Amino acid sequence: MIKKISKGFLEKGFQYPESYNKIIELNLVDFDYWYVMNEEQALKRLTGLRDDILSDI
């Protein structure tokens, strides 16, 4: 569930960016969490992808 800020902020002139409102309107909000891989994880993932691709050739 998306929680919007309190009315107090809106009364002080806060506005959500139009792009944010569009994302909510289209219900594009149910994504898994993203995480940033460290170098070791990224290299392991890259090696695995490369090996998968080369095995198909």
Side-chain angles (χ1 to χ4, degrees):
M1 175 182 214
I2 300 299
K3 294 181 182 177
K4 292 204 170 190
I5 60 173
S6 68
K7 289 183 181 181
F9 281 102
L10 298 173
E11 291 168 355
K12 292 180 181 178
F14 176 84
Q15 293 182 345
Y16 285 99
E18 190 56 39
S19 56
Y20 177 84
N21 291 328
K22 190 65 172 180
I23 287 171
I24 302 300
E25 178 186 325
L26 295 173
N27 199 30
L28 299 174
V29 294
D30 191 20
F31 293 103
D32 291 332
Y33 292 103
W34 288 50
Y35 67 96
V36 177
M37 293 184 275
N38 65 32
E39 182 179 1
E40 181 182 345
Q41 292 170 317
L43 289 173
K44 186 175 181 178
R45 182 71 54 96
L46 179 61
T47 300
L49 289 171
R50 183 179 53 220
D51 292 347
D52 286 347
I53 291 169
L54 292 176
S55 69
D56 290 340
I57 297 176

